[in-house]
Amino acid sequence: MVMLFVDKLVLYFNLLCFNLLIYSTSDVVHAQLLQGIPSTRVKQVAYGKTIAVTCSPDSTTTAIDLKWYGPNQYFPASNEKYLIKSKALMPLEEDGSSSRIYTEPNGNRLKLIISEIQSIDTGTYNCTGRVTNIPSSWSFELQAFVGLKVEADGQQILVHGENSKIHCSVTAQPPPETSWYFNNNYIDTQASSRYEVVTDGLIVYGVGFGDNGTYECQGTELTTGDTDKKRITVKVVTRPVMAVAPVNTTGVQSRDAQILCSVNSVPPPTYRWYLGNSMDYGAEVGTIADHNRYRPSSTDGTLTITNVQLGDEKWYWCEGRNEADNVFGKAFFEVQMIPTFERSLNLNNTETREGNKAIMICQCEAKPNPKMRFHRVGYAAPYVNGVQPNDSRINIYEKPSSASHENQEIIPQEVVIEIENTTPNDTANYTCIAENSAGRNETTMIIIIQHQPNFDLTPPSLLTQCIWEEHPRNVTVLLSGFPQPSVSWARSDGKQISPDQTAFKQYFEPYWENGRRDEWMANLEINWEVTKGGIQGQYNPVGNYFPKASNNLGAVDFTINVVEAQLPGRVGGLNVTAKTAQSITLFARPPVEENCIPVIGFEIMYKLHGTNDVHQIALFPLDAGSSMKIDNLKSGSSYSVLVYARNERGRGEYSNSKIIETLQSTVPEVVSITSSTESLSNVSHQVVWEMPLDGGEPITQYLVSWREVGATVWNSREISSGSLWWTIPNLQPDTTYEVMVQARNRKGLSAKPNPPSTFRTRPGSTGPSAGRFSNLSLSVEIHYLVIIGVIGLFIILVAIDMICFCSRDWGLLACICTGTSSSPKHPVGDIISLDGAEYVYFIYT
């Protein structure tokens, strides 16, 4: 037994030695047959990188059946489990991507690709094959290490006023060195306490807006000298702060409403709104089904709810957000409902017989509950709720309705009016008024009291009515009654007027001007021509007519007297109340006799006495007064005047002719100056006046006079009658002047105003001011130019005169030398007196 164990032990030892011998000599035997490209046996590669190694024979031999096997799989080399296949034969990963480790054949070579190297990929890779029919292999060891890697977002923020971090990850094995730059300037964290480099970034203490800019995060692997960096654009922002928080808001159904929300931040925030049935967050407004009615603003924070509905009564949350943070505010939105009167509710009109009790109910829906009351149309104030102080028959009260609403929070309300012992006067329109904090609404309802007809509505002015030739007359009566009565007419001879008689036309229509549905108007149109002589019997249309009204509750008769209208009589009196040289004013009294139609005015006929040139003036309405004026007459002349009174039928008898003489013409009235007392210029002044009465003769010109206050002599200028203003030139600055305007006609000048008007020029130099009328005066420079021009013209004239004297012995020098010329004409100033005032006139003699 022991010998058997020893034999087996020897056998195993020999096998082990044999295998070790083969293994130890394999590289030597096959070293020159297969080789790797690149040829290094140990390959150090950073994690995440990709490596490609090609297995190839030398350039003089050919390899067949080349294969790559995974790490440490030498024994047995033929184990297909660790065989690395071609990419085309590799199965896809579970996520649909291809394998990271695969081979690619390339003629006499086989390339091994290991991509995105991970820790499980490390180990020994072996390439096997046959070279010149000799088994051969070549292997290498893959070692992985952590390479330099810099990772950072290119856009980051810092929060103003806080200690904030710029994130940047720098990794390598061994650990790298990290450096930071701001706007291309190195950040020395040893020299500045505002910065601190940490493993995942750079902390900036007390961030301000000056920290906006470009930062650079740089990593360096000291052993290899490998360097990488990332540029980061940093924006400084502030955290959002609620400036205007949403507050509980009330909206009205069917109207638009807004909930305000305002958040301050840099940059400005974006807004989002949420709603829910409680104070907890609900759905975002933009995602709800009825989102078209919700219009949240993304810029100013206002939430607009259009066409508000009762279901909008919820909690609303406003969120203001930027890159730094977000902030919330909440508000409850209450929906109110303006009172509405639906026809499906109790809104029936009421009808009952006289003496019975009338009950009318008005019902409405509102939120909150409204105050309801009744107001009779035509009355000054609504009824008070309860028994009416001035009519104990009427009682009004409110109460909840028994009706229901789809919204359980809304309970229909109603107001009731009860009238005991009704009379026809209770027939009226009654306005039901409902009012709450959302608004006011009203509807009109009707109470109709059934009663027999009566003619109480017909006013006394209709008891006697007029008719005349060629004027059909509507004889009108007003009545009340319900149900609607019928009206028949009878003549003064007792005969009934049938509807088919051509002399009469009958009309009947509602007369609801006071809102009462029991009031009516009946008309009988009488044709004068037909009734007077156009039908058999020669019926006289003048006389009494008897309308009769009846319904199922009774009948009543009435009488209307129709008389023939007359033309007006003679005017009662004609007096002259005023006259001038060109006009006469008359006063006329209407005729004294009575008539069924009134005088509406007068007409005047007049002519120049002794001529046949007759003029007629149209109607002077009485509502403009009985004073009549005739214009455009000749002065100092006699006129014959007739006056007629006129009524709707025509013109009456004329008055006795009256001879009236106009006054003699005179000088014009005193002229009134309307211009300002303060000049707009320092060297000129614009005078404006009103056209006066001309005294019966046309005005031919105006005389404008002015002088300094205290002076004795007036300056003057004549102005054509077509102008009512003139500008006085060449005045002294800061000086007070007197001014007056007189009008002239054929009779002479108008009287001087007493006292004359005054004005004062503006202060300043003698040059024109920059005022409105400065262009009316000459500047100093223009004065100089004028003087130089006059002197130059004088020199030219003297030269011409000398030439004439020398050549032809005539001219001014000839006259001086010979004494034969006539007296020279030259201006002479003279002071004259006109109407007691002194004027300077310049005339040539």
Side-chain angles (χ1 to χ4, degrees), residues 475-550:
V475 178
T476 302
V477 291
L478 303 177
L479 64 152
S480 67
F482 198 88
Q484 175 180 327
S486 60
V487 177
S488 61
W489 293 82
R491 303 188 307 199
S492 58
D493 58 3
K495 294 182 179 181
Q496 291 290 320
I497 299 175
S498 63
D500 59 350
Q501 285 186 260
T502 57
F504 305 96
K505 293 182 181 179
Q506 300 182 40
Y507 305 95
F508 186 84
E509 59 189 41
Y511 184 73
W512 294 348
E513 292 185 0
N514 298 320
R516 291 180 53 171
R517 299 301 178 93
D518 66 339
E519 296 181 348
W520 316 92
M521 180 170 63
N523 292 285
L524 178 67
E525 182 181 304
I526 305 173
N527 190 315
W528 173 281
E529 290 296 322
V530 176
T531 56
K532 190 69 175 178
I535 64 173
Q536 188 177 2
Q538 298 293 308
Y539 174 71
N540 189 349
V542 176
N544 290 332
Y545 288 80
F546 304 102
K548 182 177 182 178
S550 60

Coordinates of all heavy atoms in Angstrom, one line a residue, residues 475-550:
V475 N -109.6 112.9 -32.8 CA -110.2 113.1 -31.5 C -109.7 112.0 -30.6 O -109.9 110.8 -30.8 CB -111.7 113.1 -31.5 CG1 -112.3 113.3 -30.2 CG2 -112.2 114.2 -32.5
T476 N -109.0 112.4 -29.5 CA -108.3 111.4 -28.7 C -108.9 111.3 -27.3 O -109.1 112.4 -26.7 CB -106.8 111.7 -28.6 OG1 -106.3 111.8 -29.9 CG2 -106.0 110.7 -27.8
V477 N -109.0 110.1 -26.8 CA -109.4 109.9 -25.3 C -108.4 108.8 -24.8 O -107.9 107.9 -25.5 CB -110.8 109.4 -25.2 CG1 -111.8 110.5 -25.5 CG2 -111.1 108.2 -26.0
L478 N -108.1 109.0 -23.5 CA -107.3 108.0 -22.8 C -108.1 107.3 -21.7 O -108.9 107.9 -21.0 CB -106.1 108.7 -22.1 CG -105.2 109.6 -23.0 CD1 -104.1 110.3 -22.2 CD2 -104.5 108.7 -24.1
L479 N -107.9 106.0 -21.6 CA -108.8 105.2 -20.7 C -107.9 104.1 -20.1 O -106.8 103.8 -20.5 CB -110.0 104.7 -21.4 CG -109.7 103.6 -22.5 CD1 -110.9 102.7 -22.7 CD2 -109.5 104.4 -23.9
S480 N -108.5 103.5 -19.0 CA -107.9 102.3 -18.4 C -108.9 101.2 -18.3 O -110.1 101.5 -18.2 CB -107.2 102.7 -17.1 OG -108.3 103.0 -16.1
G481 N -108.5 100.0 -18.2 CA -109.4 98.9 -18.0 C -108.6 97.6 -18.3 O -107.7 97.6 -19.2
F482 N -109.0 96.5 -17.7 CA -108.4 95.2 -18.0 C -109.4 94.1 -17.6 O -110.0 94.2 -16.5 CB -107.1 95.0 -17.2 CG -106.2 93.9 -17.8 CD1 -105.3 94.2 -18.8 CD2 -106.3 92.6 -17.3 CE1 -104.5 93.2 -19.3 CE2 -105.5 91.6 -17.9 CZ -104.6 91.9 -18.9
P483 N -109.6 93.1 -18.4 CA -109.0 92.9 -19.7 C -109.2 94.1 -20.7 O -110.0 95.0 -20.5 CB -109.7 91.6 -20.2 CG -110.2 91.0 -19.0 CD -110.6 92.1 -18.1
Q484 N -108.5 94.0 -21.8 CA -108.5 95.1 -22.8 C -109.9 95.4 -23.2 O -110.6 94.6 -23.7 CB -107.6 94.7 -24.0 CG -107.7 95.8 -25.1 CD -106.8 95.3 -26.3 OE1 -105.8 94.7 -26.1 NE2 -107.3 95.7 -27.5
P485 N -110.3 96.7 -23.0 CA -111.7 97.1 -23.4 C -111.8 97.3 -24.9 O -110.8 97.5 -25.6 CB -111.9 98.3 -22.6 CG -110.6 98.9 -22.5 CD -109.6 97.8 -22.4
S486 N -113.0 97.4 -25.4 CA -113.3 97.8 -26.7 C -114.0 99.2 -26.7 O -114.7 99.5 -25.7 CB -114.2 96.8 -27.5 OG -115.5 96.7 -26.8
V487 N -113.8 100.0 -27.7 CA -114.3 101.4 -27.7 C -115.2 101.6 -29.0 O -114.7 101.3 -30.1 CB -113.2 102.4 -27.6 CG1 -113.8 103.8 -27.7 CG2 -112.4 102.3 -26.4
S488 N -116.4 102.1 -28.8 CA -117.3 102.5 -29.9 C -117.5 104.0 -29.8 O -117.5 104.6 -28.7 CB -118.6 101.7 -29.8 OG -119.3 101.9 -28.6
W489 N -117.9 104.6 -31.0 CA -118.1 106.0 -31.0 C -119.5 106.3 -31.5 O -120.0 105.6 -32.4 CB -117.1 106.7 -32.0 CG -115.7 106.7 -31.4 CD1 -114.8 105.6 -31.5 CD2 -115.0 107.7 -30.7 NE1 -113.6 105.9 -31.0 CE2 -113.7 107.2 -30.5 CE3 -115.4 109.0 -30.3 CZ2 -112.8 108.0 -29.8 CZ3 -114.4 109.8 -29.7 CH2 -113.1 109.3 -29.4
A490 N -120.1 107.4 -31.0 CA -121.4 107.8 -31.4 C -121.4 109.3 -31.7 O -120.6 110.1 -31.1 CB -122.6 107.5 -30.4
R491 N -122.2 109.8 -32.7 CA -122.2 111.3 -33.0 C -123.2 112.0 -32.1 O -124.0 111.4 -31.4 CB -122.6 111.4 -34.5 CG -121.6 110.7 -35.4 CD -121.9 111.0 -36.9 NE -123.3 110.8 -37.3 CZ -123.7 110.7 -38.5 NH1 -122.8 110.8 -39.5 NH2 -125.0 110.5 -38.8
S492 N -123.2 113.3 -32.3 CA -124.1 114.1 -31.4 C -125.6 113.9 -31.7 O -126.4 114.1 -30.8 CB -123.8 115.6 -31.7 OG -123.9 116.0 -33.0
D493 N -125.9 113.3 -32.9 CA -127.3 113.0 -33.2 C -127.7 111.6 -32.7 O -128.8 111.1 -32.9 CB -127.6 113.1 -34.7 CG -126.6 112.1 -35.5 OD1 -125.9 111.4 -34.9 OD2 -126.7 112.2 -36.7
G494 N -126.7 111.0 -31.9 CA -127.0 109.7 -31.3 C -126.7 108.5 -32.2 O -126.8 107.3 -31.8
K495 N -126.3 108.7 -33.5 CA -126.0 107.6 -34.4 C -124.6 107.1 -34.1 O -123.7 107.8 -33.9 CB -126.2 108.1 -35.8 CG -127.6 108.4 -36.2 CD -127.7 108.8 -37.7 CE -129.1 109.2 -38.1 NZ -129.2 109.5 -39.5
Q496 N -124.5 105.7 -34.2 CA -123.2 105.1 -34.0 C -122.4 105.3 -35.3 O -122.9 105.3 -36.4 CB -123.4 103.6 -33.8 CG -124.0 103.2 -32.4 CD -123.1 103.5 -31.3 OE1 -121.9 103.3 -31.4 NE2 -123.7 104.1 -30.2
I497 N -121.1 105.4 -35.0 CA -120.1 105.6 -36.1 C -119.5 104.2 -36.4 O -118.8 103.6 -35.6 CB -119.0 106.6 -35.8 CG1 -119.6 107.9 -35.5 CG2 -118.0 106.6 -36.9 CD1 -118.6 109.0 -35.1
S498 N -119.9 103.6 -37.6 CA -119.4 102.3 -37.9 C -118.0 102.4 -38.4 O -117.6 103.4 -39.0 CB -120.3 101.6 -38.9 OG -120.3 102.4 -40.1
P499 N -117.2 101.3 -38.3 CA -115.8 101.4 -38.7 C -115.6 101.5 -40.2 O -114.5 102.0 -40.6 CB -115.2 100.0 -38.2 CG -116.1 99.6 -37.1 CD -117.5 100.1 -37.5
D500 N -116.6 101.2 -41.0 CA -116.5 101.3 -42.4 C -116.9 102.7 -43.0 O -116.9 102.8 -44.2 CB -117.2 100.2 -43.1 CG -118.7 100.3 -42.8 OD1 -119.1 101.1 -41.9 OD2 -119.5 99.5 -43.4
Q501 N -117.3 103.6 -42.2 CA -117.6 105.0 -42.7 C -116.4 105.7 -43.2 O -115.4 105.8 -42.5 CB -118.3 105.8 -41.6 CG -119.8 105.3 -41.4 CD -120.5 106.3 -40.4 OE1 -120.6 106.0 -39.2 NE2 -121.0 107.4 -40.9
T502 N -116.5 106.3 -44.4 CA -115.3 107.0 -45.0 C -115.0 108.3 -44.3 O -113.9 108.8 -44.4 CB -115.5 107.2 -46.5 OG1 -116.7 108.0 -46.7 CG2 -115.7 105.9 -47.3
A503 N -115.9 108.9 -43.6 CA -115.7 110.1 -43.0 C -114.9 110.0 -41.7 O -114.4 111.0 -41.1 CB -117.0 110.8 -42.7
F504 N -114.8 108.8 -41.2 CA -114.2 108.5 -39.9 C -113.2 107.3 -40.0 O -113.5 106.4 -40.7 CB -115.2 108.3 -38.8 CG -116.2 109.4 -38.7 CD1 -117.5 109.2 -39.3 CD2 -116.0 110.5 -37.9 CE1 -118.4 110.2 -39.2 CE2 -117.0 111.5 -37.8 CZ -118.2 111.4 -38.4
K505 N -112.2 107.4 -39.2 CA -111.3 106.3 -39.0 C -111.0 106.1 -37.5 O -110.8 107.1 -36.8 CB -109.9 106.5 -39.7 CG -110.0 106.6 -41.3 CD -108.6 106.8 -41.9 CE -108.7 106.8 -43.4 NZ -107.4 107.0 -44.0
Q506 N -111.1 104.9 -37.1 CA -111.0 104.6 -35.7 C -109.7 103.8 -35.4 O -109.4 102.9 -36.2 CB -112.2 103.8 -35.2 CG -113.5 104.5 -35.4 CD -114.7 103.7 -34.8 OE1 -114.6 103.0 -33.8 NE2 -115.8 103.7 -35.6
Y507 N -109.0 104.2 -34.3 CA -107.8 103.6 -33.9 C -107.8 103.2 -32.4 O -108.4 104.0 -31.7 CB -106.5 104.5 -34.2 CG -106.4 105.0 -35.6 CD1 -106.9 106.2 -36.0 CD2 -105.8 104.2 -36.6 CE1 -106.8 106.6 -37.3 CE2 -105.7 104.6 -37.9 CZ -106.2 105.9 -38.2 OH -106.1 106.3 -39.5
F508 N -107.2 102.2 -32.1 CA -107.1 101.8 -30.7 C -105.7 101.1 -30.4 O -105.3 100.2 -31.1 CB -108.2 100.8 -30.3 CG -108.3 100.5 -28.8 CD1 -109.0 101.3 -27.9 CD2 -107.7 99.4 -28.3 CE1 -109.1 101.0 -26.6 CE2 -107.7 99.1 -26.9 CZ -108.4 99.9 -26.1
E509 N -105.0 101.6 -29.4 CA -103.7 101.1 -29.2 C -103.3 101.2 -27.7 O -103.9 102.0 -27.0 CB -102.7 101.9 -30.0 CG -102.6 103.3 -29.8 CD -101.8 104.1 -30.8 OE1 -101.8 103.8 -32.0 OE2 -101.1 105.0 -30.3
P510 N -102.3 100.4 -27.2 CA -101.9 100.6 -25.8 C -101.3 101.9 -25.6 O -100.7 102.5 -26.4 CB -100.8 99.5 -25.7 CG -101.1 98.5 -26.8 CD -101.6 99.3 -27.9
Y511 N -101.5 102.4 -24.4 CA -100.9 103.6 -23.9 C -100.2 103.4 -22.6 O -100.7 103.6 -21.5 CB -102.0 104.7 -23.7 CG -101.5 106.1 -23.3 CD1 -100.9 106.9 -24.3 CD2 -101.7 106.5 -22.0 CE1 -100.4 108.1 -23.9 CE2 -101.2 107.8 -21.7 CZ -100.6 108.6 -22.6 OH -100.1 109.8 -22.3
W512 N -98.9 102.8 -22.8 CA -98.2 102.2 -21.6 C -97.0 103.1 -21.2 O -96.0 102.7 -20.8 CB -97.7 100.8 -21.9 CG -98.8 99.8 -22.1 CD1 -100.1 100.0 -21.8 CD2 -98.7 98.5 -22.7 NE1 -100.9 98.9 -22.1 CE2 -100.0 98.0 -22.6 CE3 -97.7 97.8 -23.1 CZ2 -100.3 96.7 -23.1 CZ3 -97.9 96.5 -23.6 CH2 -99.2 95.9 -23.6
E513 N -97.2 104.5 -21.4 CA -96.1 105.4 -21.1 C -95.7 105.3 -19.6 O -94.6 105.6 -19.2 CB -96.5 106.8 -21.5 CG -96.6 107.0 -23.0 CD -96.9 108.4 -23.3 OE1 -97.0 109.3 -22.4 OE2 -97.0 108.7 -24.5
N514 N -96.7 105.0 -18.7 CA -96.4 104.9 -17.3 C -96.1 103.5 -16.8 O -96.0 103.2 -15.7 CB -97.6 105.4 -16.5 CG -97.8 106.9 -16.8 OD1 -96.9 107.7 -16.9 ND2 -99.1 107.3 -16.9
G515 N -95.9 102.6 -17.8 CA -95.6 101.2 -17.5 C -96.8 100.4 -17.1 O -96.6 99.2 -16.7
R516 N -98.0 100.9 -17.2 CA -99.2 100.2 -16.8 C -99.7 99.5 -18.0 O -99.9 100.1 -19.1 CB -100.2 101.1 -16.2 CG -99.8 101.7 -14.8 CD -100.9 102.6 -14.3 NE -102.2 101.9 -14.3 CZ -103.3 102.4 -13.7 NH1 -103.2 103.6 -13.0 NH2 -104.4 101.8 -13.7
R517 N -100.1 98.2 -17.8 CA -100.6 97.4 -18.9 C -102.1 97.5 -19.1 O -102.7 96.7 -19.8 CB -100.1 96.0 -18.7 CG -98.6 95.7 -18.7 CD -98.0 96.2 -20.0 NE -96.5 96.1 -20.0 CZ -95.9 95.0 -20.4 NH1 -96.6 94.0 -20.9 NH2 -94.6 95.0 -20.4
D518 N -102.7 98.4 -18.3 CA -104.2 98.5 -18.4 C -104.6 99.9 -18.9 O -105.7 100.3 -18.8 CB -104.8 98.3 -17.0 CG -104.5 99.4 -16.0 OD1 -103.4 100.0 -16.2 OD2 -105.2 99.6 -15.0
E519 N -103.7 100.6 -19.6 CA -103.9 101.9 -20.1 C -104.0 101.9 -21.6 O -103.1 101.2 -22.2 CB -102.9 102.9 -19.6 CG -102.9 103.1 -18.1 CD -101.9 104.1 -17.6 OE1 -101.0 104.5 -18.4 OE2 -102.0 104.5 -16.4
W520 N -104.9 102.6 -22.2 CA -105.2 102.5 -23.6 C -105.4 103.9 -24.2 O -105.8 104.9 -23.4 CB -106.3 101.6 -23.9 CG -106.3 100.4 -23.1 CD1 -106.9 100.2 -21.9 CD2 -105.6 99.2 -23.4 NE1 -106.6 98.9 -21.4 CE2 -105.8 98.2 -22.3 CE3 -104.8 98.7 -24.5 CZ2 -105.3 97.0 -22.3 CZ3 -104.3 97.5 -24.4 CH2 -104.5 96.6 -23.4
M521 N -105.3 104.0 -25.5 CA -105.6 105.3 -26.2 C -106.5 105.0 -27.4 O -106.2 104.1 -28.2 CB -104.3 106.0 -26.7 CG -104.6 107.3 -27.4 SD -103.1 108.2 -27.7 CE -102.2 107.1 -28.8
A522 N -107.7 105.7 -27.5 CA -108.6 105.5 -28.6 C -108.6 106.8 -29.4 O -108.7 107.9 -28.8 CB -110.0 105.2 -28.0
N523 N -108.6 106.7 -30.7 CA -108.6 107.9 -31.6 C -109.7 107.7 -32.6 O -110.0 106.6 -33.2 CB -107.3 108.0 -32.3 CG -106.1 108.3 -31.4 OD1 -106.0 109.5 -31.0 ND2 -105.3 107.3 -31.1
L524 N -110.4 108.9 -32.9 CA -111.4 109.0 -34.0 C -110.9 110.1 -34.9 O -110.9 111.3 -34.5 CB -112.8 109.3 -33.4 CG -113.9 109.5 -34.5 CD1 -114.1 108.1 -35.2 CD2 -115.1 110.0 -33.9
E525 N -110.5 109.7 -36.1 CA -110.0 110.7 -37.1 C -111.2 111.2 -37.9 O -111.9 110.4 -38.5 CB -109.0 110.1 -38.0 CG -108.4 111.1 -39.0 CD -107.4 110.5 -39.9 OE1 -106.4 110.0 -39.4 OE2 -107.6 110.6 -41.2
I526 N -111.5 112.5 -37.9 CA -112.6 113.1 -38.6 C -112.1 113.9 -39.8 O -111.2 114.7 -39.7 CB -113.4 114.1 -37.7 CG1 -113.8 113.4 -36.4 CG2 -114.6 114.7 -38.4 CD1 -114.4 114.4 -35.3
N527 N -112.6 113.5 -41.0 CA -112.3 114.2 -42.2 C -113.2 115.3 -42.5 O -114.4 115.1 -42.8 CB -112.3 113.2 -43.4 CG -111.6 113.7 -44.6 OD1 -111.9 114.9 -45.0 ND2 -110.8 112.9 -45.3
W528 N -112.8 116.6 -42.5 CA -113.6 117.8 -42.6 C -114.4 117.8 -44.0 O -115.6 117.9 -44.0 CB -112.8 119.0 -42.4 CG -113.6 120.3 -42.7 CD1 -113.9 120.8 -44.0 CD2 -114.2 121.2 -41.8 NE1 -114.6 122.0 -43.9 CE2 -114.8 122.2 -42.5 CE3 -114.2 121.2 -40.4 CZ2 -115.4 123.3 -41.9 CZ3 -114.9 122.2 -39.8 CH2 -115.5 123.3 -40.5
E529 N -113.6 117.5 -45.0 CA -114.2 117.7 -46.3 C -115.3 116.7 -46.5 O -116.4 117.0 -47.1 CB -113.1 117.4 -47.4 CG -112.1 118.6 -47.5 CD -112.7 119.9 -47.9 OE1 -113.6 119.8 -48.8 OE2 -112.3 120.9 -47.4
V530 N -115.1 115.4 -46.1 CA -116.1 114.4 -46.3 C -117.3 114.6 -45.4 O -118.5 114.6 -45.9 CB -115.5 113.0 -46.0 CG1 -116.6 111.9 -46.1 CG2 -114.4 112.7 -47.0
T531 N -117.1 115.0 -44.2 CA -118.2 115.1 -43.3 C -119.0 116.4 -43.5 O -120.2 116.5 -43.3 CB -117.7 115.2 -41.8 OG1 -116.8 116.2 -41.7 CG2 -117.2 113.8 -41.4
K532 N -118.3 117.4 -44.1 CA -119.0 118.7 -44.3 C -119.8 118.7 -45.5 O -120.9 119.3 -45.5 CB -117.9 119.8 -44.4 CG -118.4 121.3 -44.4 CD -119.0 121.6 -43.0 CE -119.4 123.1 -43.0 NZ -120.0 123.4 -41.7
G533 N -119.4 118.1 -46.6 CA -120.3 118.2 -47.8 C -120.1 117.0 -48.7 O -120.7 117.0 -49.8
G534 N -119.3 116.0 -48.4 CA -119.0 114.9 -49.3 C -119.9 113.7 -49.2 O -119.8 112.8 -50.0
I535 N -120.7 113.6 -48.2 CA -121.6 112.4 -48.0 C -123.0 112.8 -47.9 O -123.3 114.0 -47.6 CB -121.2 111.6 -46.8 CG1 -121.4 112.4 -45.5 CG2 -119.7 111.1 -46.8 CD1 -121.2 111.6 -44.3
Q536 N -123.9 111.9 -48.1 CA -125.3 112.2 -48.1 C -125.7 112.6 -46.7 O -125.3 112.0 -45.7 CB -126.1 110.9 -48.5 CG -127.6 111.2 -48.6 CD -128.3 110.0 -49.1 OE1 -127.7 109.0 -49.3 NE2 -129.6 110.1 -49.4
G537 N -126.5 113.6 -46.5 CA -126.9 114.1 -45.2 C -126.2 115.4 -44.8 O -126.7 116.0 -43.8
Q538 N -125.2 115.8 -45.5 CA -124.5 117.0 -45.1 C -124.2 117.1 -43.6 O -124.5 118.1 -43.0 CB -125.3 118.2 -45.6 CG -125.5 118.3 -47.1 CD -124.2 118.5 -47.8 OE1 -123.5 119.5 -47.5 NE2 -123.9 117.7 -48.8
Y539 N -123.6 116.0 -43.1 CA -123.4 116.0 -41.6 C -122.3 117.0 -41.2 O -121.3 117.1 -41.8 CB -122.9 114.6 -41.2 CG -122.5 114.5 -39.7 CD1 -123.5 114.6 -38.8 CD2 -121.2 114.4 -39.3 CE1 -123.2 114.6 -37.4 CE2 -120.9 114.4 -38.0 CZ -121.9 114.5 -37.1 OH -121.5 114.4 -35.7
N540 N -122.6 117.8 -40.2 CA -121.7 118.8 -39.6 C -120.7 118.1 -38.7 O -121.2 117.5 -37.7 CB -122.5 119.9 -38.9 CG -121.6 121.1 -38.5 OD1 -120.4 121.0 -38.6 ND2 -122.2 122.2 -38.1
P541 N -119.4 118.2 -38.9 CA -118.5 117.5 -38.0 C -118.3 118.2 -36.7 O -117.7 117.6 -35.8 CB -117.2 117.6 -38.8 CG -117.3 118.8 -39.7 CD -118.7 118.9 -40.0
V542 N -118.8 119.4 -36.5 CA -118.7 120.1 -35.2 C -119.8 119.6 -34.3 O -120.9 119.4 -34.7 CB -118.7 121.6 -35.4 CG1 -118.7 122.3 -34.1 CG2 -117.5 122.0 -36.3
G543 N -119.4 119.4 -33.0 CA -120.4 119.0 -32.1 C -119.9 118.0 -31.0 O -118.6 117.8 -30.9
N544 N -120.7 117.3 -30.3 CA -120.3 116.3 -29.3 C -120.1 114.9 -29.9 O -120.9 114.5 -30.8 CB -121.3 116.3 -28.2 CG -121.3 117.5 -27.3 OD1 -120.3 118.2 -27.2 ND2 -122.4 117.9 -26.7
Y545 N -119.1 114.2 -29.4 CA -118.9 112.8 -29.7 C -118.9 112.0 -28.4 O -118.4 112.5 -27.4 CB -117.6 112.7 -30.5 CG -117.6 113.2 -31.9 CD1 -117.5 114.6 -32.1 CD2 -117.9 112.4 -33.0 CE1 -117.6 115.1 -33.4 CE2 -117.9 112.9 -34.3 CZ -117.8 114.2 -34.5 OH -117.9 114.7 -35.8
F546 N -119.4 110.8 -28.6 CA -119.6 110.0 -27.3 C -118.9 108.6 -27.5 O -119.4 107.7 -28.1 CB -121.1 109.7 -27.1 CG -121.9 111.0 -27.0 CD1 -122.6 111.4 -28.1 CD2 -121.9 111.8 -25.9 CE1 -123.4 112.6 -28.1 CE2 -122.6 113.0 -25.8 CZ -123.4 113.4 -26.9
P547 N -117.6 108.5 -26.9 CA -116.9 107.2 -26.9 C -117.5 106.4 -25.8 O -117.8 106.9 -24.7 CB -115.5 107.6 -26.7 CG -115.5 108.9 -25.9 CD -116.8 109.6 -26.4
K548 N -117.6 105.1 -26.0 CA -118.0 104.1 -25.0 C -117.0 103.0 -24.9 O -116.7 102.4 -25.9 CB -119.4 103.6 -25.3 CG -120.0 102.6 -24.3 CD -121.4 102.2 -24.7 CE -122.0 101.3 -23.6 NZ -123.4 100.9 -23.9
A549 N -116.5 102.7 -23.6 CA -115.6 101.6 -23.4 C -116.2 100.5 -22.6 O -116.9 100.8 -21.6 CB -114.3 102.2 -22.7
S550 N -115.9 99.3 -23.0 CA -116.5 98.1 -22.2 C -115.6 96.9 -22.3 O -114.8 96.8 -23.2 CB -117.9 97.8 -22.9 OG -117.7 97.4 -24.2

